[in-house]
Amino acid sequence: MASALKRKRGAVEVSETPKRAKSIKTSTNDPLQKLSSINAGWEAAFNPPTKTKELAKTNGTNAHKSESKIRSPSSEALDFEDMSEQDQWTQQQAYIRSNLQTPKSKIWALSESIGGRMINVDPVFSMDEKYFIVASRTALHVYATTNSLLVRSIKPKINGDKLDTRIITYCLSPTQSNIIWVACSDGAIYSIDWTSGAGADQWWGISSTGCVHMTVASMESVGRRRDVVFTTEMRKDGRWRVTANELAQPDSTIQTVARTIYTSQNQISFLKTAKEGTVIVGSAGNKIVLGRLKSTEYDTVDRIKYEFRVFESTDSISSVDIKVSERPGINDVKKSMKRTPVVDLVVGDVRGAIFVHNDLLANLIRSQDGSLPPGISLAPRKLHWHRQAVHTVKWSLDGNYIISGGTETVLVLWQLDTGKQQFLPHMSATIQNVVVSPSGSSYGVQLADNSAMILSTAELTPMTNIAGIQANVLSSGETIESTVLRLRDESWKPPLIQRIPAAINPASPSQLLLAVGQTQEINPYDPLVLSSPFLQTYDLGSGHNISRQALTRSNVTNVNATPSTHRLSEPRVTQMVLSHDGNWLATVDEWVPPERDIVFLSHQKKDLEAHRQSRREVFLKFWQWSHENNTWELVSRINKPHTQEQNSSYAGRILDLAADPESPRFSTIGEDGVVSIWSTKARKRDGVVVRGKDGKAFRNWYCQHAISLGKSELLVESENVSATAVTGCVAFSEDGSVLAAACSIHGGLLQLLDPDSGFVRQSHAGLFEGHIAKMAFIGQDLIMLSDQLLVFDLVSNETRLKTSLSSNIQRLSDVQKREMMHLSVDHQSRTFALALPVRNSEETYEKPLICRESELFIFHQDEAEPQLHEISSAITALLPAADSEGFVVLDTAAEVRVVHKKGSQIITTLAQSTEALHLEHEATESVGELLRLVEDENNEEMDDHEPPTPDLTVDGDDEDDENDTPVVSQQALTEIFDIGPSFALPPLEEMFYQVAGLFSSKPLAQKMS
């Protein structure tokens, strides 16, 4: 047994980095004119100062081999007017610059991840049903069923030698209810105490080829009971096997032994035991494997023996469940059959059919020996309602119902006696797994949108809701549905990992907004173009889901397929930006009809792709936050904000969307090469301003300016320019006075616009190579990302940094660059982050995305060398942290990490379990002690002060000695104080009035005359 111990590192002392001083300005008799007026401001902003700064150029004519940093005027945010007033560097400033030699590894740190994708495995109830256990790729998460709070997160010490090692399944021990068995893809098995986390650093290695599935049975023989772990793994010869393992602790006198009990040519993807391991069932392709224990007389597991029977189904099996009961005592049953339990099996296949096999094991035995009674057939009972694969099927606790779910987002309850069905429709996503609680009083349902809930069996109402980050994740391989030949949806060619539109709310910096969809798994072999019609709001501070609402039309219903059984395609949100104050949200959604919908036009010899693009739908939507309803309300929808070409009438794609950091204003650039500036105005009806209940005027959005880019005389190769832009970018300066725009129509031409007047003020040619991918401002510097990384000083018109990207990245297609290259700017720390896709040695043509990773860089505005260089899972979103210095990173595991300066407070600090926050062991007074304390205080007051004699009332009560002090029960105080952890309690004022209401006497009646 291998074990590993975690080493705790001591506190790292971080030396304080001296702040960079502002340049010393010399007084002048003629101060420069401020940028209040339009013309003077633009001339002052873009004319280089008379006293220029000496800049060291990298990859330029003035570059030096020993020069590693770029000297710059200032590291602080400065307006353009301030930049034109600065003088040269003084010797004092140069001395400060020379002492900024803080090691790069001590500046930034990557926080622990939060969130994560729930693996597609049945969740687990605790035996007392107080806790609900789910797992992500690298951790177990224990939730309380009473309040849906995360109680504990347990991360096993996963061996990092193999790439993509992850948790594949977990089972609660039937012998010890506090132990949970965990299996990893590298063949490691863990026995973890989920109540404390003990055992997470020790494991058994059962197979060098990895593990596919696992189940656990509590078996007794020779007077000893133990947990037997059944695993399925691949053999070295390419076949598959089922192994029974008895895994002993290091200090135990029992040895760790194993025995192979079954081998198969096909992968065994499902395994389950019943009746203390005497019956075992598995599935391999379209075959059901049913085994029975031969004898319980064995001392160790390596002597255990099973006999198996195999029968085939018509299609591949997607889900199985087993129910075993004692055979009733019937006189005409053979003695050998009386020891055979009644095994009822329910099977779901990939085409939506459910088969119910009653007493299957006994019927198989009797059919083989010829003793099957007449009238009894091995043909199962067939139930068919699902149109596609049955993802999960389970027996109810009493065996009278079958619960099933699939892609229809409908939970179906089948009553076997009457044949009736009961439906719970409109679930939020595909139903992946259903489990029945130990008492049968509730169902645990796991959905494909990374959420889970607990439903009461009586009313089918949710009692517990758990929702994680619903971003796209990279799946580990093909699903069982891929065995069915169906017309596939549109896929990315060449393959890529789709970018996720995301934003941090400036009004609430802990809120992460994501554009998500119903289908979130990325197939690494043939990635589909995934729709994203929903907006998820996730709280990074607490690690909880806040809300989810639709941004486009969605089809989460039981009729989400066409008459030809094809899935209805939904629009995809491609751009999403928040205004500077967080009150406005701008989104762009696109929809293109699938190819199968226009195949009928092929006989007309038309260009089907051109015809398909002509039917494209593009909408620019503006949403306003409603404080009354706590949701985003649609205010304006712009149809066809851009066209495919300037003289075209077809809707064109929006290549980029940017928000003004100083005012409620947005800018877009389309593939027609036009930059549009969108602003608001008061809504009027018959010349009268329309106002709401609060008296505020309603607002509408309109196009304030539409500027066509391009000056042909500035282009280097104007003859190679296409009429439709493939890529384009827009970016506002920090003060909102400059709008930079560039697109691939005009080669390397950069246009600097005045957003107030809509005029082009300056143009720069040849600043970027290839197609522009991203663009952003830091102070006076403009950062451009194409086939090279360029930092351009707009004040001095000089290139401060120019670095070509690797040839592997340059060979990517334009769509791959647009989706997988990320650029983000943090104005507080004057840094920018860059995420680039990389390939490792294990990536092949057959598996183009299975090993995709991202390389993360962080550059300071004034330095040529990165301050941080990390390689992580493929990054799908990169955002600046709104309330602190740093960045928020989202990857293909649906995990969020924060890049922060060491020693600084990060936003995800409190996004932990209640155990990590020490909320489970708070030293608080019990309710009984609080009750006694209140009674003692009341007694002291009665002794010190004689209460006044009340006047007579008309209630007719003559018992003068009756005590009017109310008696407050302990249960009443418990309902006020013991409702959850401290951060979930109601306001203190509300609790005070609740307690005061319990201990206050009823008011006396008025004295009657």
Side-chain angles (χ1 to χ4, degrees), residues 82-257:
D82 294 332
M83 294 301 302
S84 62
E85 295 178 1
Q86 293 178 351
D87 293 330
Q88 295 181 353
W89 285 88
T90 62
Q91 294 181 356
Q92 178 183 4
Q93 291 169 321
Y95 175 78
I96 294 176
R97 286 287 301 171
S98 63
N99 283 276
L100 290 178
Q101 300 295 334
T102 304
K104 301 299 186 296
S105 60
K106 292 187 178 181
I107 297 179
W108 296 96
L110 206 59
S111 69
E112 290 290 330
S113 62
I114 65 170
R117 175 81 177 186
M118 300 180 192
I119 62 176
N120 188 8
V121 178
D122 286 345
V124 172
F125 278 99
S126 63
M127 294 305 297
D128 56 4
E129 301 184 13
K130 292 183 179 180
Y131 300 98
F132 193 63
I133 305 174
V134 298
S136 61
R137 296 174 64 255
T138 58
L140 293 174
H141 305 286
V142 182
Y143 289 88
T145 58
T146 55
N147 51 23
S148 305
L149 293 178
L150 178 62
V151 176
R152 186 175 296 105
S153 288
I154 304 171
K155 290 189 175 182
K157 183 67 175 181
I158 296 179
N159 185 13
D161 296 339
K162 293 185 179 180
L163 186 66
D164 198 29
T165 302
R166 65 192 186 281
I167 298 174
I168 58 168
T169 187
Y170 53 99
C171 299
L172 195 67
S173 169
T175 305
Q176 304 179 63
S177 59
N178 64 319
I179 297 297
I180 189 168
W181 292 90
V182 180
C184 290
S185 59
D186 61 349
I189 304 294
Y190 299 79
S191 176
I192 301 175
D193 187 347
W194 62 267
T195 62
S196 63
D201 57 348
Q202 298 177 340
W203 70 91
W204 293 266
I206 62 168
S207 175
S208 60
T209 57
C211 182
V212 176
H213 201 77
M214 179 195 69
T215 188
V216 182
S218 177
M219 305 182 67
E220 183 178 4
S221 66
V222 197
R224 185 169 62 91
R225 180 171 292 276
R226 83 282 274 174
D227 278 347
V228 178
V229 179
F230 295 88
T231 59
T232 65
E233 60 263 359
M234 186 175 64
R235 296 173 26 158
K236 293 183 179 180
D237 59 359
R239 304 178 67 190
W240 300 84
R241 67 187 177 193
V242 178
T243 306
N245 305 270
E246 182 178 354
L247 306 177
Q249 297 294 334
D251 54 353
S252 175
T253 58
I254 306 300
Q255 294 183 351
T256 297
V257 293

Side-chain angles (χ1 to χ4, degrees), residues 553 571 589-593 615-619 651:
R553 62 177 183 272
D589 60 87
E590 298 180 3
W591 179 83
V592 180
R615 296 191 179 187
R616 181 194 302 270
E617 297 178 2
V618 181
F619 299 110

